[in-house]
């Protein structure tokens, strides 16, 4: 076994085109570090509906140039088999370690395979790539990003020509083509032949952002903005300037791209501590709201003054605020969300007489809803201009929420006042999450098995009226690894994360409210119920 492992590592080393990962692997072989080598050669990073994502380093279980070249070659073979030979593939990338290398390798592989390739001019937000695919009539797009993952990670996200991310069976078909590649030497990689785009695509995207706002709407709300060490700043500032909003106050320590993300443990606005610098800037400058993007700027976080201090709004709160704003502006079309997001969106759509759809988790599903006008997911993802970007877009979402804050400001009101109105109108929809990050993935599998074999009959004293194992699919949803419990006045969805080593449990309770003066009591009731559900669910899952 030991000799076989060393032989496989040496074979990988022989074809690795990257001097850094070659040196890294050579040292592991020389040191005879069997434990580390076994981990890196335990299989291969699996290409799935999120594309690829993993830790940077040498070997097939890590993100590196060898893995990316194979992924690009597999995608090229898939496109050619599906009648797209000669088509255009557009490539974007963020500012993480190795992102530019992975983008260049992808362009070279596409060119060598007889496709045309165009690379965005510099690290730019993921929604600019999603926009460029349809704008340029591409047959596919690739974004090199690990979004809000830790600094040591990178990833590879694939879109097809409709501008939305791949879904089954395309992922499995591309994975099969990747597996069929014998040696890297068999993959032609010319040194040139692809196009590096100029700013025309970015300018077209920015011109499109104007369309999400209402002509002559108020543009007075003042913002503090953090790019979370990512690529959002320049594009967001340009979009805000075009729209005529006051220039956002920047969180200077996080404004410029930095692949080491030095001020945060995780570069995700949802993680504890990530927004501390933005809150400090807001205490100093007293804006109307705080806007944060994640590092590739496809997500948008919003924080508001609540009493004496600042707090992050939940993704579900922002999702319902944007929906209410669009309804009031007379939006037509389908409102959609994933099954883990708040059921309040369905209530808002129903009252407005608009079609409503629930999908599996991820914008790859939301973006495919027929007649989509607005889609959101609780993990801070909002699609407010589906004709322009068929994916979540943290730039246009920031524009729209700032327009709403401006309209409310003109009336002497805030986003929190509108949330209160929605609670009185539709019931208080309170959401929370029980999220467990693990080192050992078997912990997640064990928890899911325990819940399937011994399902709870009640949580927080509320009877479970319907228990669904989503691996079987439903009449509206394709199969997925998840469980959904419907309770009297509550809902729970449990699923393994598709992008991180986490088990995620999404909780919602709905408490009726007769009038505004009943809100404090309703919030207290909701908080107690959510805590009790968390406690009971933890016990049932053994986590």
């Amino acid at each position: 076994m030991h000799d076989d492992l060393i032989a496989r590592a040496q074979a990988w080393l022989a074809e690795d085109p990257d001097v850094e990962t070659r040196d890294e692997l050579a040292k592991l072989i020389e040191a005879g570090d069997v434990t580390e080598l076994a981990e890196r050669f335990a299989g291969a990073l699996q290409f799935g509906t999120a594309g690829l994502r993993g830790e940077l380093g040498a070997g097939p279980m890590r993100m590196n140039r060898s893995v990316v070249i194979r992924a690009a070659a597999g995608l090229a073979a898939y496109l050619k088999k599906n009648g797209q030979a000669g088509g255009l593939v557009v490539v974007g990338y963020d500012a993480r370690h190795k992102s530019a290398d992975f983008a260049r390798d992808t362009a070279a592989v596409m060119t060598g395979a007889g496709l045309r390739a165009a690379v965005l001019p510099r690290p730019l937000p993921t929604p600019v790539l999603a926009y460029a695919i349809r704008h340029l009539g591409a047959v596919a797009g690739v974004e090199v990003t690990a979004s809000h993952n830790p600094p040591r990670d990178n990833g590879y996200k694939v879109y097809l020509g409709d501008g939305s991310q791949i879904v089954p069976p395309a992922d499995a078909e591309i994975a099969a083509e990747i597996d069929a590649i014998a040696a890297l030497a068999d993959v032609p990689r010319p040194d040139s032949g692809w196009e590096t785009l100029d700013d025309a695509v970015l300018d077209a995207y920015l011109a499109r952002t104007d369309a999400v706002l209402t002509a002559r709407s108020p543009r007075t709300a003042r913002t503090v903005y953090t790019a979370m060490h990512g690529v959002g700043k320049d594009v967001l500032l340009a979009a805000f300037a075009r729209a005529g909003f006051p220039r956002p106050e920047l969180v200077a320590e996080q404004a410029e791209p930095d692949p080491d993300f030095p001020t945060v443990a995780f570069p995700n606005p949802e993680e504890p501590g990530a927004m501390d610098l933005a809150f400090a800037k807001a205490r100093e400058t007293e804006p109307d709201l705080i806007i944060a993007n994640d590092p590739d700027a496809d997500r948008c976080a919003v924080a508001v003054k609540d009493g004496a201090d600042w707090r992050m709004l939940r993704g579900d709160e922002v999702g319902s605020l944007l929906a209410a704003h669009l309804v009031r502006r007379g939006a037509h079309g389908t409102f959609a969300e994933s099954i883990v997001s708040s059921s309040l969106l369905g209530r808002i759509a129903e009252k407005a007489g608009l079609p409503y759809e629930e999908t599996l988790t991820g914008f790859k599903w939301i973006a495919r809803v027929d007649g989509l006008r607005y889609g959101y997911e609780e993990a801070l993802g909002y699609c407010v201009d589906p004709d322009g970007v068929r994916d979540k877009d943290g730039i246009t979402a920031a524009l729209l929420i700032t327009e709403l804050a401006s309209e409310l400001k003109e009336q002497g009101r805030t986003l929190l006042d509108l949330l209160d109105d929605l609670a009185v109108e539709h019931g208080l929809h309170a959401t929370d999450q029980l999220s467990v990050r693990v080192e050992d993935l078997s912990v997640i599998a064990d928890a899911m098995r325990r819940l399937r074999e011994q399902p709870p009959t009640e949580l927080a004293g509320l009877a479970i009226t319907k228990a669904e194992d989503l691996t079987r699919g439903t009449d509206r949803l394709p199969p997925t690894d998840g469980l959904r419990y419907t309770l009297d006045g509550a809902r729970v969805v449990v699923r393994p994360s598709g992008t991180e080593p986490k088990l995620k449990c999404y909780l919602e309770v709905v408490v009726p409210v007769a009038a505004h003066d009943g809100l404090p009591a309703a919030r207290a009731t909701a908080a107690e119920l959510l805590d009790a559900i968390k406690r009971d669910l933890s016990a049932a899952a053994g986590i």
Side-chain angles (χ1 to χ4, degrees):
M1 174 62 198
H2 175 249
D3 291 347
D4 172 56
L5 181 60
I6 297 293
R8 281 190 292 139
Q10 284 170 332
W12 185 274
L13 179 67
E15 62 172 20
D16 188 340
D18 188 324
V19 66
E20 281 181 45
T21 44
R22 268 207 316 273
D23 286 352
E24 183 188 319
L25 189 53
K27 284 184 180 130
L28 291 173
I29 295 169
E30 200 178 317
D33 191 338
V34 178
T35 309
E36 184 66 23
L37 287 170
E39 192 182 309
R40 290 165 182 247
F41 286 84
L45 273 188
Q46 287 307 296
F47 187 92
T49 48
L52 293 167
R53 207 179 278 191
E55 191 175 337
L56 289 161
M61 289 294 288
R62 296 284 186 269
M63 281 297 294
N64 50 63
R65 290 184 59 199
S66 298
V67 164
V68 164
I69 289 164
R70 286 171 183 277
L75 174 60
Y78 166 84
L79 292 169
K80 287 161 77 175
K81 265 193 185 169
N82 284 275
Q84 309 286 6
L88 174 69
V89 178
V90 59
V91 185
Y93 58 104
D94 67 10
R96 283 177 178 265
H97 293 296
K98 300 282 182 188
S99 286
D101 294 346
F102 296 167
R104 189 169 55 250
D105 282 332
T106 300
V109 170
M110 295 302 160
T111 305
L115 291 142
R116 293 178 297 125
V119 183
L120 292 182
R122 59 186 167 280
L124 285 167
T126 294
V128 177
L129 180 275
Y131 170 79
I133 294 164
R134 299 178 71 205
H135 178 68
L136 297 172
V139 298
V142 170
E143 176 71 14
V144 180
T145 181
S147 190
H148 56 275
N149 274 39
R152 63 178 185 271
D153 290 2
N154 212 329
Y156 198 80
K157 192 184 277 195
V158 176
Y159 298 76
L160 293 181
D162 61 356
S164 40
Q165 296 171 52
I166 53 168
V167 294
D171 56 343
E173 290 170 18
I174 295 168
E177 297 293 347
I178 295 170
D179 291 343
I181 292 151
L184 280 195
D186 299 340
V187 180
R189 281 185 296 130
D191 292 329
S192 61
W194 59 89
E195 181 186 1
T196 299
L197 296 165
D198 59 19
D199 276 356
V201 167
L202 177 60
D203 293 341
Y205 167 83
L206 284 167
R208 177 90 207 173
T209 63
D210 299 352
V212 306
L213 301 173
T214 305
R216 295 180 295 284
S217 62
R219 312 275 166 96
T220 54
R222 292 172 48 253
T223 54
V224 157
Y225 172 71
T226 175
M228 208 61 70
H229 298 297
V231 298
K233 181 198 71 170
D234 292 347
V235 178
L236 182 127
L237 289 180
F240 270 57
R242 286 181 68 103
F245 287 112
R247 181 185 162 89
E249 291 274 359
L250 299 179
V251 177
E253 303 93 326
Q254 298 174 334
E256 298 304 326
D258 186 333
D260 294 319
F261 305 106
T263 69
V264 290
F266 284 94
N268 176 357
E270 292 180 292
E271 292 282 349
M275 296 287 286
D276 287 357
L277 288 169
F279 290 161
K281 185 74 175 176
R283 290 181 200 112
E284 181 193 312
T285 57
E286 290 293 320
D288 298 297
L289 70 166
I290 299 171
I291 299 285
N293 285 138
D294 67 338
D296 68 327
D298 62 351
R299 295 166 198 251
C300 175
V302 180
V304 294
K305 188 85 174 281
D306 188 2
D309 209 357
W310 289 80
R311 80 162 172 97
M312 272 270 291
L313 293 179
R314 291 187 169 279
D316 284 318
E317 292 177 308
V318 177
S320 57
L321 286 167
L322 291 173
H325 184 46
L326 289 168
V327 164
R328 213 180 54 72
R329 282 180 17 186
H332 291 288
T334 302
F335 280 25
E337 64 181 339
S338 62
I339 57 170
V340 299
S341 305
S342 171
S343 58
L344 178 54
L345 184 69
R347 305 258 179 116
I348 291 170
E350 184 184 14
K351 181 146 191 192
L354 295 173
Y356 163 77
E357 287 284 339
E358 257 190 338
T359 73
L360 293 184
T361 311
F363 265 82
K364 57 184 177 278
W365 298 108
I366 294 170
R368 286 185 153 67
V369 166
D370 281 346
L372 182 67
R373 174 59 186 88
Y374 168 63
Y376 97 90
E377 186 154 78
E378 53 68 49
L380 311 182
Y382 314 94
C383 174
V384 301
D385 176 26
D387 290 343
V389 175
R390 289 229 176 131
D391 199 5
K392 51 189 180 291
D393 182 345
I395 306 294
T396 48
L399 287 170
L400 199 61
I401 198 74
T402 309
E403 177 185 61
L404 173 57
S406 300
E407 286 189 2
L408 291 164
K409 184 180 180 178
E410 300 293 297
Q411 302 160 20
R413 303 175 77 232
T414 68
L415 295 173
L416 291 179
D417 293 327
L418 181 52
L419 282 172
D420 285 351
D421 292 351
L422 291 172
V424 172
E425 189 175 356
H426 302 287
L428 176 70
H429 288 62
T431 55
D432 202 354
Q433 203 181 110
L434 173 62
S435 182
V436 184
R437 186 181 287 275
V438 300
E439 292 295 321
D440 178 0
L441 288 175
S442 71
V443 174
I444 294 176
D446 289 347
M448 293 299 287
R449 190 178 64 248
R450 190 178 284 111
L451 288 170
R452 285 191 169 105
E453 288 173 0
Q454 299 171 297
T457 55
E458 61 168 45
L459 296 168
L462 301 173
I464 291 175
T465 55
K466 188 177 183 187
E468 296 167 281
D469 186 342
L470 299 176
T471 47
R472 301 189 183 103
T474 72
D475 55 346
R476 307 301 301 271
L477 299 169
T480 187
D481 185 9
L483 299 162
R484 178 163 61 178
Y485 303 118
T486 305
L487 300 89
D488 189 15
R491 183 220 61 199
V492 173
V493 177
V494 183
R495 60 180 281 274
S497 169
T499 53
E500 298 175 274
K502 279 183 173 179
L503 180 68
K504 292 185 158 184
C505 310
Y506 303 85
L507 324 173
E508 179 177 45
V509 299
V510 183
V511 181
V513 192
H516 281 76
D517 59 7
L519 281 168
R523 287 206 173 91
T525 301
E528 280 172 30
L529 279 171
L530 287 169
D531 282 347
I533 291 173
K534 262 191 198 175
R535 193 173 57 243
D536 292 355
L537 189 61
S538 291
I543 50 176

